[in-house]
Amino acid sequence: MSIKIKIIMKKLLSFLFITALCFLYSENIHAQSFEKGQKNFSVGVGAGYGIGANASVDYGVSDLISIGLIGAVSSYSYGYGFGSNFRLTYIGVGGRGAVHFGKYLKEIGINEEKLDPYIGGVGGVRLARYSSDYSSFYTDANVRPMIGGFIGARYYFKEKMAIYAEAGTPYSSLGISIKF
């Protein structure tokens, strides 16, 4: 296992440990999990086109729908031996929209006050940069459309702080979300 991957894994495990501690010492809250006018800022780590990080901001245009922006960066490298190492880096920016269905959870007996499940889509552009130690001839960059979807949820352990998880394409992530 490379040193870079060990460092990333150590940071990810530290992040998860701190998140678990927040769960243990969280306060009870009584608020609706998503509502019109709500703004969320989220930052997380995860996987997309390699290991990376992302940040997003969402605005509730209604009790069901949010729109926002996302930015993400991910990278991975690999080698074929004989000094030829390659690196692929992706930077994506775009818009996102989601449908929040938490208020329907109480109809099936689930407390929706702390949970905000959602499903949505993302669209934007992705910059891909490829580089090689072998030769500068193999260095390249291009811009392509970025289209995808995701399903996720936020769990509010404080009135304005949550952990979130999203699975989808082009990025999946785990992180912290702040309501403001």
Side-chain angles (χ1 to χ4, degrees):
M1 187 180 281
S2 77
I3 293 174
K4 285 184 180 181
I5 292 176
K6 286 181 182 179
I7 292 170
I8 290 171
M9 293 304 292
K10 185 177 180 181
K11 288 181 181 180
L12 181 59
L13 288 173
S14 298
F15 172 79
L16 293 173
F17 177 74
I18 291 170
T19 302
L21 285 177
C22 290
F23 271 121
L24 292 173
Y25 296 103
S26 65
E27 301 171 4
N28 279 339
I29 61 167
H30 299 288
Q32 185 176 345
S33 61
F34 187 80
E35 54 194 17
K36 181 178 180 178
Q38 179 175 322
K39 296 173 223 112
N40 287 318
F41 173 73
S42 302
V43 62
V45 296
Y49 303 106
I51 302 294
N54 63 44
S56 65
V57 63
D58 295 306
Y59 175 76
V61 295
S62 75
D63 284 345
L64 283 175
I65 299 182
S66 68
I67 59 171
L69 302 171
I70 186 169
V73 62
S74 62
S75 182
Y76 69 91
S77 59
Y78 51 96
Y80 292 116
F82 307 109
S84 23
N85 294 314
F86 301 89
R87 180 178 249 349
L88 199 49
T89 303
Y90 292 96
I91 299 171
V93 293
R96 61 185 267 148
V99 176
H100 300 258
F101 52 91
K103 69 183 193 176
Y104 298 109
L105 293 177
K106 68 179 157 187
E107 294 177 14
I108 58 172
I110 297 174
N111 182 357
E112 87 289 354
E113 292 176 350
K114 294 183 180 184
L115 187 63
D116 175 22
Y118 50 90
I119 188 168
V122 62
V125 294
R126 175 196 75 184
L127 168 71
R129 184 174 185 276
Y130 172 81
S131 61
S132 166
D133 292 345
Y134 179 70
S135 168
S136 62
F137 177 75
Y138 293 108
T139 300
D140 190 21
N142 60 52
V143 176
R144 305 251 187 232
M146 177 180 71
I147 299 172
F150 55 89
I151 186 164
R154 290 184 186 97
Y155 178 79
Y156 287 91
F157 58 90
K158 297 277 188 185
E159 184 178 351
K160 297 191 179 275
M161 288 192 71
I163 62 165
Y164 80 93
E166 289 182 359
T169 181
Y171 299 102
S172 294
S173 63
L174 174 68
I176 297 288
S177 189
I178 299 169
K179 188 190 302 188
F180 61 97

Coordinates of all heavy atoms in Angstrom, one line a residue, residues 15-89:
F15 N -11.5 11.2 10.7 CA -12.8 11.9 10.4 C -14.0 11.1 10.9 O -14.9 11.6 11.6 CB -12.9 12.2 8.9 CG -14.2 12.8 8.5 CD1 -14.5 14.1 8.7 CD2 -15.2 11.9 8.0 CE1 -15.8 14.6 8.4 CE2 -16.4 12.4 7.6 CZ -16.7 13.8 7.8
L16 N -14.0 9.8 10.6 CA -15.1 9.0 11.1 C -15.1 8.8 12.6 O -16.2 8.8 13.2 CB -15.0 7.6 10.4 CG -15.2 7.5 8.9 CD1 -14.9 6.2 8.3 CD2 -16.6 8.0 8.5
F17 N -14.0 8.8 13.2 CA -13.9 8.7 14.7 C -14.5 10.0 15.3 O -15.3 9.9 16.2 CB -12.4 8.5 15.1 CG -12.3 8.5 16.6 CD1 -12.7 7.4 17.4 CD2 -11.7 9.6 17.3 CE1 -12.5 7.4 18.8 CE2 -11.6 9.6 18.6 CZ -12.0 8.5 19.4
I18 N -14.1 11.1 14.8 CA -14.6 12.4 15.3 C -16.1 12.5 15.1 O -16.9 12.9 16.0 CB -13.9 13.6 14.7 CG1 -12.5 13.6 15.2 CG2 -14.6 14.9 15.0 CD1 -11.6 14.6 14.4
T19 N -16.6 12.0 13.9 CA -18.1 12.0 13.7 C -18.8 11.1 14.6 O -19.8 11.4 15.2 CB -18.3 11.5 12.2 OG1 -17.6 12.4 11.3 CG2 -19.8 11.5 11.9
A20 N -18.2 9.9 14.9 CA -18.8 9.0 15.9 C -18.9 9.7 17.3 O -19.9 9.5 18.0 CB -18.0 7.7 16.0
L21 N -17.8 10.4 17.7 CA -17.9 11.1 19.0 C -19.0 12.1 19.0 O -19.6 12.3 20.0 CB -16.5 11.8 19.2 CG -15.4 10.9 19.7 CD1 -14.1 11.7 19.8 CD2 -15.7 10.1 20.9
C22 N -19.2 12.8 17.9 CA -20.3 13.8 17.8 C -21.6 13.1 18.1 O -22.5 13.7 18.7 CB -20.3 14.5 16.5 SG -18.9 15.6 16.3
F23 N -21.8 11.9 17.5 CA -23.0 11.2 17.8 C -23.2 10.9 19.3 O -24.3 11.0 19.8 CB -23.0 9.9 17.0 CG -23.6 9.9 15.7 CD1 -22.8 9.6 14.6 CD2 -24.9 10.4 15.4 CE1 -23.3 9.7 13.3 CE2 -25.4 10.5 14.2 CZ -24.6 10.1 13.1
L24 N -22.1 10.5 19.9 CA -22.2 10.1 21.3 C -22.6 11.3 22.2 O -23.2 11.1 23.2 CB -20.9 9.5 21.8 CG -20.5 8.1 21.2 CD1 -19.1 7.7 21.6 CD2 -21.5 7.1 21.6
Y25 N -22.2 12.5 21.9 CA -22.4 13.6 22.7 C -23.4 14.6 22.1 O -23.3 15.8 22.4 CB -21.0 14.3 23.0 CG -20.1 13.5 23.8 CD1 -19.1 12.8 23.2 CD2 -20.3 13.2 25.1 CE1 -18.2 12.0 23.9 CE2 -19.5 12.4 25.9 CZ -18.4 11.8 25.2 OH -17.6 11.0 26.0
S26 N -24.2 14.2 21.2 CA -25.2 15.1 20.6 C -26.4 15.4 21.5 O -26.7 14.6 22.4 CB -25.7 14.4 19.3 OG -26.4 13.3 19.5
E27 N -27.0 16.5 21.2 CA -28.2 17.0 22.0 C -29.4 16.5 21.2 O -29.4 16.3 20.0 CB -28.2 18.5 22.1 CG -27.0 19.1 22.8 CD -26.9 20.6 22.6 OE1 -27.9 21.2 22.1 OE2 -25.9 21.2 23.1
N28 N -30.5 16.5 21.9 CA -31.8 16.2 21.3 C -32.3 17.5 20.6 O -32.1 18.6 21.1 CB -32.9 15.8 22.3 CG -32.8 14.3 22.7 OD1 -32.2 13.6 21.9 ND2 -33.3 14.0 23.8
I29 N -32.8 17.3 19.4 CA -33.3 18.5 18.7 C -34.8 18.2 18.3 O -35.1 17.0 18.1 CB -32.5 18.9 17.5 CG1 -32.4 17.7 16.5 CG2 -31.1 19.3 17.9 CD1 -31.9 18.1 15.1
H30 N -35.5 19.2 18.0 CA -36.9 19.0 17.6 C -37.1 20.1 16.5 O -37.5 21.2 16.7 CB -37.9 19.2 18.7 CG -37.7 18.2 19.8 ND1 -38.0 16.9 19.6 CD2 -37.2 18.3 21.0 CE1 -37.7 16.2 20.7 NE2 -37.2 17.0 21.6
A31 N -36.9 19.7 15.3 CA -37.0 20.6 14.1 C -37.3 19.8 12.9 O -37.0 18.6 12.8 CB -35.8 21.5 13.9
Q32 N -37.9 20.4 11.9 CA -38.1 19.7 10.7 C -36.8 19.6 9.9 O -36.0 20.5 10.0 CB -39.1 20.5 9.8 CG -39.5 19.8 8.5 CD -40.6 20.6 7.8 OE1 -41.2 21.5 8.3 NE2 -40.7 20.3 6.5
S33 N -36.6 18.4 9.3 CA -35.2 18.2 8.7 C -35.0 19.0 7.5 O -33.8 19.3 7.2 CB -35.1 16.7 8.4 OG -36.1 16.3 7.5
F34 N -36.0 19.4 6.7 CA -35.8 20.2 5.5 C -37.0 21.1 5.3 O -38.1 20.6 5.4 CB -35.6 19.3 4.3 CG -35.2 20.2 3.1 CD1 -33.9 20.6 2.9 CD2 -36.2 20.5 2.2 CE1 -33.6 21.4 1.8 CE2 -35.8 21.3 1.1 CZ -34.5 21.8 0.9
E35 N -36.8 22.3 5.0 CA -37.9 23.3 4.8 C -37.5 24.3 3.8 O -36.3 24.6 3.5 CB -38.3 23.9 6.1 CG -37.2 24.5 6.9 CD -37.6 24.9 8.3 OE1 -38.6 24.3 8.8 OE2 -36.9 25.7 8.9
K36 N -38.5 25.0 3.3 CA -38.3 26.1 2.3 C -37.4 27.2 2.9 O -37.6 27.6 4.1 CB -39.7 26.7 1.9 CG -39.6 27.8 0.9 CD -41.0 28.3 0.5 CE -40.8 29.4 -0.5 NZ -42.1 29.9 -0.9
G37 N -36.5 27.7 2.1 CA -35.6 28.7 2.6 C -34.3 28.2 3.3 O -33.4 29.0 3.5
Q38 N -34.3 27.0 3.6 CA -33.1 26.4 4.2 C -31.9 26.4 3.3 O -32.0 26.1 2.1 CB -33.4 25.0 4.7 CG -32.3 24.3 5.4 CD -32.7 22.9 5.9 OE1 -33.8 22.7 6.3 NE2 -31.8 22.0 5.8
K39 N -30.7 26.7 3.9 CA -29.5 26.7 3.2 C -28.6 25.7 3.9 O -28.4 25.7 5.1 CB -28.9 28.1 3.1 CG -29.7 29.1 2.4 CD -29.1 30.5 2.5 CE -30.2 31.5 2.8 NZ -30.3 32.1 3.9
N40 N -27.9 24.9 3.1 CA -26.9 23.9 3.6 C -25.6 24.0 2.9 O -25.6 24.2 1.7 CB -27.4 22.5 3.4 CG -28.6 22.1 4.3 OD1 -28.6 22.4 5.5 ND2 -29.5 21.4 3.8
F41 N -24.5 24.0 3.7 CA -23.2 23.9 3.1 C -22.6 22.6 3.6 O -22.6 22.3 4.8 CB -22.3 25.1 3.7 CG -20.9 24.9 3.2 CD1 -20.5 25.2 1.9 CD2 -19.9 24.5 4.1 CE1 -19.2 25.0 1.5 CE2 -18.6 24.4 3.8 CZ -18.2 24.6 2.4
S42 N -22.2 21.8 2.6 CA -21.6 20.5 2.9 C -20.2 20.3 2.3 O -19.9 20.8 1.3 CB -22.5 19.4 2.3 OG -23.9 19.5 2.7
V43 N -19.4 19.6 3.1 CA -18.0 19.3 2.7 C -17.8 17.9 3.0 O -18.1 17.5 4.1 CB -17.0 20.3 3.2 CG1 -17.0 20.3 4.7 CG2 -15.6 20.1 2.6
G44 N -17.1 17.2 2.1 CA -16.9 15.7 2.4 C -15.8 15.2 1.6 O -15.2 15.8 0.7
V45 N -15.5 13.9 1.9 CA -14.5 13.1 1.2 C -15.2 11.9 0.6 O -16.2 11.5 1.1 CB -13.3 12.7 2.2 CG1 -12.6 13.8 2.7 CG2 -13.9 11.8 3.3
G46 N -14.5 11.4 -0.4 CA -15.2 10.2 -1.0 C -14.5 9.8 -2.3 O -13.3 10.0 -2.5
A47 N -15.2 9.1 -3.1 CA -14.7 8.6 -4.3 C -15.5 9.1 -5.5 O -16.7 9.3 -5.4 CB -14.7 7.1 -4.2
G48 N -14.9 9.2 -6.6 CA -15.5 9.6 -7.8 C -14.7 9.0 -8.9 O -14.7 7.8 -9.2
Y49 N -13.8 9.9 -9.5 CA -12.8 9.4 -10.4 C -11.5 9.2 -9.7 O -10.5 9.7 -10.1 CB -12.6 10.5 -11.5 CG -13.9 10.8 -12.3 CD1 -14.6 12.0 -12.0 CD2 -14.4 9.9 -13.2 CE1 -15.8 12.3 -12.7 CE2 -15.6 10.2 -13.9 CZ -16.3 11.4 -13.6 OH -17.4 11.7 -14.3
G50 N -11.6 8.6 -8.5 CA -10.5 8.4 -7.6 C -10.8 8.9 -6.3 O -12.0 9.3 -6.0
I51 N -9.9 9.0 -5.3 CA -10.1 9.5 -4.0 C -10.1 11.1 -4.1 O -9.3 11.6 -4.8 CB -9.0 9.1 -3.0 CG1 -8.9 7.6 -2.9 CG2 -9.2 9.7 -1.7 CD1 -10.2 6.9 -2.4
G52 N -11.1 11.7 -3.4 CA -11.1 13.2 -3.5 C -12.0 13.8 -2.5 O -12.3 13.2 -1.4
A53 N -12.3 15.1 -2.7 CA -13.1 15.9 -1.8 C -14.1 16.7 -2.6 O -13.9 17.0 -3.8 CB -12.1 16.8 -1.0
N54 N -15.2 17.1 -2.0 CA -16.1 17.9 -2.6 C -16.8 18.9 -1.6 O -16.8 18.6 -0.4 CB -17.2 17.1 -3.4 CG -18.0 16.2 -2.5 OD1 -18.4 16.6 -1.5 ND2 -18.2 15.0 -2.9
A55 N -17.4 19.9 -2.2 CA -18.2 20.8 -1.4 C -19.4 21.2 -2.2 O -19.4 21.3 -3.4 CB -17.4 22.1 -1.1
S56 N -20.5 21.5 -1.5 CA -21.8 21.9 -2.1 C -22.5 22.8 -1.3 O -22.4 22.9 0.0 CB -22.6 20.7 -2.5 OG -23.1 20.0 -1.3
V57 N -23.4 23.6 -1.9 CA -24.3 24.5 -1.2 C -25.7 24.3 -1.8 O -25.8 24.1 -3.0 CB -23.8 26.0 -1.2 CG1 -23.8 26.5 -2.6 CG2 -24.7 26.8 -0.3
D58 N -26.7 24.2 -1.0 CA -28.1 23.9 -1.4 C -29.0 24.9 -0.8 O -28.8 25.4 0.3 CB -28.5 22.5 -1.0 CG -27.8 21.4 -1.6 OD1 -27.7 21.4 -2.9 OD2 -27.3 20.6 -0.9
Y59 N -30.0 25.3 -1.6 CA -31.1 26.2 -1.1 C -32.4 25.6 -1.3 O -32.7 25.1 -2.4 CB -31.0 27.6 -1.9 CG -32.1 28.5 -1.5 CD1 -32.1 29.2 -0.3 CD2 -33.2 28.7 -2.4 CE1 -33.1 30.1 0.0 CE2 -34.2 29.6 -2.1 CZ -34.2 30.3 -0.9 OH -35.2 31.1 -0.5
G60 N -33.3 25.6 -0.3 CA -34.6 25.0 -0.4 C -35.6 26.0 -1.0 O -36.0 26.9 -0.4
V61 N -36.0 25.7 -2.3 CA -36.9 26.5 -3.0 C -38.4 26.2 -2.6 O -39.3 26.9 -2.8 CB -36.8 26.5 -4.5 CG1 -35.4 27.0 -4.9 CG2 -36.9 25.0 -5.0
S62 N -38.5 25.0 -2.0 CA -39.8 24.6 -1.4 C -39.5 23.6 -0.3 O -38.4 23.3 0.0 CB -40.7 24.0 -2.4 OG -40.3 22.7 -2.8
D63 N -40.6 23.1 0.4 CA -40.4 22.0 1.4 C -39.9 20.7 0.8 O -39.5 19.8 1.5 CB -41.6 21.8 2.2 CG -41.9 22.9 3.2 OD1 -41.0 23.7 3.5 OD2 -43.0 23.0 3.7
L64 N -39.9 20.6 -0.5 CA -39.6 19.4 -1.2 C -38.3 19.5 -2.1 O -37.6 18.5 -2.2 CB -40.7 18.9 -2.1 CG -41.9 18.2 -1.4 CD1 -42.9 17.9 -2.5 CD2 -41.4 16.9 -0.7
I65 N -38.0 20.7 -2.6 CA -37.0 20.8 -3.7 C -35.9 21.8 -3.2 O -36.2 22.8 -2.7 CB -37.7 21.2 -5.0 CG1 -38.7 20.2 -5.4 CG2 -36.6 21.5 -6.0 CD1 -39.3 20.4 -6.7
S66 N -34.7 21.3 -3.5 CA -33.5 22.2 -3.3 C -32.7 22.3 -4.6 O -32.7 21.4 -5.4 CB -32.6 21.7 -2.2 OG -32.0 20.5 -2.5
I67 N -32.1 23.4 -4.8 CA -31.1 23.6 -5.9 C -29.8 24.1 -5.3 O -29.8 24.7 -4.2 CB -31.7 24.6 -7.0 CG1 -32.0 26.0 -6.3 CG2 -32.9 24.0 -7.6 CD1 -32.3 27.0 -7.4
G68 N -28.8 23.9 -6.0 CA -27.5 24.4 -5.5 C -26.3 24.2 -6.5 O -26.5 23.9 -7.7
L69 N -25.1 24.3 -5.9 CA -23.9 24.2 -6.7 C -23.0 23.2 -6.0 O -23.1 23.0 -4.8 CB -23.1 25.6 -6.7 CG -23.9 26.8 -7.3 CD1 -23.1 28.0 -7.0 CD2 -24.1 26.6 -8.8
I70 N -22.1 22.6 -6.8 CA -21.2 21.6 -6.3 C -19.8 21.8 -7.0 O -19.8 22.2 -8.2 CB -21.7 20.1 -6.6 CG1 -20.7 19.1 -5.9 CG2 -21.9 19.8 -8.0 CD1 -21.2 17.7 -5.8
G71 N -18.8 21.5 -6.3 CA -17.4 21.5 -6.8 C -16.7 20.3 -6.2 O -16.9 20.0 -5.0
A72 N -15.9 19.6 -7.0 CA -15.2 18.4 -6.5 C -13.9 18.3 -7.2 O -13.7 18.8 -8.3 CB -16.1 17.2 -6.8
V73 N -13.0 17.6 -6.5 CA -11.7 17.3 -7.1 C -11.3 15.9 -6.7 O -11.6 15.5 -5.5 CB -10.6 18.3 -6.7 CG1 -10.4 18.3 -5.2 CG2 -9.3 18.0 -7.4
S74 N -10.8 15.1 -7.6 CA -10.4 13.7 -7.3 C -9.2 13.4 -8.2 O -9.0 13.9 -9.2 CB -11.5 12.7 -7.4 OG -12.0 12.7 -8.8
S75 N -8.4 12.4 -7.7 CA -7.2 12.1 -8.4 C -6.8 10.6 -8.1 O -7.1 10.1 -7.0 CB -6.1 13.0 -8.0 OG -5.0 12.8 -8.7
Y76 N -6.2 10.0 -9.0 CA -5.6 8.7 -8.8 C -4.3 8.6 -9.7 O -4.2 9.2 -10.7 CB -6.5 7.6 -8.9 CG -7.0 7.2 -10.3 CD1 -6.3 6.3 -11.1 CD2 -8.2 7.8 -10.8 CE1 -6.8 6.0 -12.4 CE2 -8.6 7.5 -12.1 CZ -7.9 6.6 -12.8 OH -8.4 6.3 -14.1
S77 N -3.4 7.8 -9.2 CA -2.2 7.5 -10.0 C -1.9 6.0 -10.0 O -2.4 5.3 -9.1 CB -1.0 8.3 -9.4 OG -0.8 7.9 -8.1
Y78 N -1.2 5.7 -11.0 CA -0.8 4.3 -11.2 C 0.5 4.2 -11.9 O 0.9 5.2 -12.6 CB -1.9 3.5 -11.9 CG -2.4 4.1 -13.2 CD1 -1.9 3.7 -14.4 CD2 -3.4 5.1 -13.1 CE1 -2.3 4.3 -15.6 CE2 -3.8 5.7 -14.3 CZ -3.3 5.3 -15.5 OH -3.7 5.9 -16.7
G79 N 1.1 3.1 -11.8 CA 2.4 3.0 -12.5 C 2.5 1.6 -13.2 O 1.9 0.6 -12.8
Y80 N 3.3 1.6 -14.2 CA 3.6 0.4 -15.0 C 5.0 -0.1 -14.7 O 5.4 -1.0 -15.4 CB 3.3 0.6 -16.5 CG 1.9 0.9 -16.8 CD1 1.5 2.1 -17.3 CD2 0.9 -0.1 -16.6 CE1 0.2 2.3 -17.6 CE2 -0.4 0.1 -16.9 CZ -0.7 1.3 -17.4 OH -2.0 1.5 -17.7
G81 N 5.7 0.5 -13.8 CA 7.1 0.1 -13.6 C 8.0 0.8 -14.5 O 7.6 1.6 -15.4
F82 N 9.3 0.5 -14.4 CA 10.3 1.1 -15.2 C 10.2 2.7 -15.2 O 10.5 3.3 -16.2 CB 10.2 0.6 -16.6 CG 10.3 -0.9 -16.7 CD1 9.1 -1.6 -17.1 CD2 11.4 -1.6 -16.4 CE1 9.2 -3.0 -17.2 CE2 11.4 -2.9 -16.5 CZ 10.3 -3.6 -16.9
G83 N 9.8 3.3 -14.1 CA 9.7 4.7 -14.0 C 8.6 5.4 -14.7 O 8.6 6.6 -14.8
S84 N 7.6 4.6 -15.2 CA 6.5 5.3 -15.9 C 5.3 5.3 -14.9 O 4.6 4.3 -14.8 CB 6.1 4.6 -17.2 OG 6.5 3.3 -17.3
N85 N 5.1 6.4 -14.3 CA 4.0 6.7 -13.4 C 3.0 7.6 -14.1 O 3.4 8.6 -14.8 CB 4.4 7.2 -12.1 CG 5.3 6.2 -11.3 OD1 4.9 5.1 -11.2 ND2 6.4 6.7 -10.8
F86 N 1.7 7.4 -14.0 CA 0.7 8.2 -14.6 C -0.2 8.7 -13.5 O -0.5 8.1 -12.5 CB -0.1 7.3 -15.6 CG 0.7 6.7 -16.6 CD1 1.3 5.5 -16.5 CD2 0.9 7.4 -17.8 CE1 2.0 4.9 -17.5 CE2 1.6 6.9 -18.8 CZ 2.2 5.6 -18.7
R87 N -0.8 9.9 -13.7 CA -1.7 10.5 -12.8 C -2.9 11.1 -13.6 O -2.7 11.8 -14.6 CB -1.0 11.7 -12.0 CG -2.0 12.3 -11.0 CD -1.3 13.4 -10.2 NE -1.1 13.2 -8.8 CZ -1.6 12.3 -8.0 NH1 -2.3 11.3 -8.4 NH2 -1.3 12.4 -6.7
L88 N -4.1 10.9 -13.1 CA -5.3 11.4 -13.7 C -6.0 12.2 -12.6 O -6.3 11.7 -11.5 CB -6.2 10.2 -14.1 CG -7.3 10.4 -15.1 CD1 -6.8 11.2 -16.3 CD2 -7.8 9.1 -15.6
T89 N -6.3 13.5 -12.9 CA -6.9 14.4 -11.9 C -8.2 14.9 -12.6 O -8.1 15.4 -13.7 CB -5.9 15.5 -11.6 OG1 -4.8 15.0 -11.0 CG2 -6.6 16.5 -10.6

